[in-house]
Every structure is written in C-alpha cells, then in structure tokens.
Amino acid sequence: MPYAVIARYRVAPEDTAVVRAALEEMRTHTLREPGNLLYILHTDPTDPEIFTIYEQYADESGFQAHKNTPHFTEHILGTVFPRLTERVVSFGDVLD
C-alpha cells in the first residue's frame, strides 16, 4: 500500500530562496529513488514563506530509505531544517 508524507514548512523571508532551491533539488533526486512514486512541491500564493510537499512512496520502507540518502542529509538536514521557523508533518497510508 502506498505511503504518503505531507510536510508543511515555514521559513523566514530571507531564507525563502535558499530553501526553495534546496527543495527543488530534493525533488529532482527523490523522483529518481526506486521507492518514490510522487513528489509535489507547492508554495502558498499569498505567503511565499510557506512550502508544502506531498510525497508518495511504494511503502513506508521506501520513505525510510529516502531519509537515509545523501541528498536528504545534504539538502533537508543540512539546508532546510536549520532554516525552518515551523514544521508540521503528517503520514498516512494511501487509500485506493
């Protein structure tokens, strides 16, 4: 059963461009992962400091493998997380 991750991030205005670039780079790498089915990056049209990411993996183990990739370490742990002012993440099984 596919596994979904929805992450909502808020950043300070001065960090918006850096975080956006890191998330766009993550999308490129994540879509190449064998367990990834979908990675959609959104910005809020009225608040550019808010990013929402919708990801789907073949199963939860695909997501766990994603968190162990060098690009996750570099872009998410190294660039994005230190710049977040707010982070809300939810997980769930995708219903058919």
Side-chain angles (χ1 to χ4, degrees):
M1 174 178 301
Y3 187 73
V5 180
I6 302 170
R8 183 179 180 273
Y9 298 153
R10 178 182 287 279
V11 300
E14 63 271 16
D15 291 326
T16 302
V18 170
V19 169
R20 181 180 179 139
L23 293 174
E24 288 173 340
E25 187 70 22
M26 273 303 294
R27 178 180 54 206
T28 299
H29 290 289
T30 303
L31 288 170
R32 294 181 186 141
E33 294 174 21
N36 180 264
L37 304 174
L38 190 66
Y39 186 107
I40 300 174
L41 176 61
H42 305 264
T43 57
D44 186 315
T46 62
D47 190 344
E49 290 98 36
I50 296 176
F51 297 92
T52 303
I53 306 145
Y54 179 77
E55 303 170 61
Q56 267 189 28
Y57 296 87
D59 51 29
E60 187 176 354
S61 66
F63 174 65
Q64 295 305 323
H66 164 71
K67 293 189 333 182
N68 291 317
T69 62
H71 51 272
F72 188 88
T73 299
E74 177 183 353
H75 299 295
I76 299 301
L77 298 180
T79 302
V80 175
F81 280 7
R83 291 174 171 83
L84 296 182
T85 60
E86 181 182 341
R87 175 178 172 248
V88 178
V89 182
S90 59
F91 306 93
D93 293 324
V94 177
L95 301 177
D96 292 330

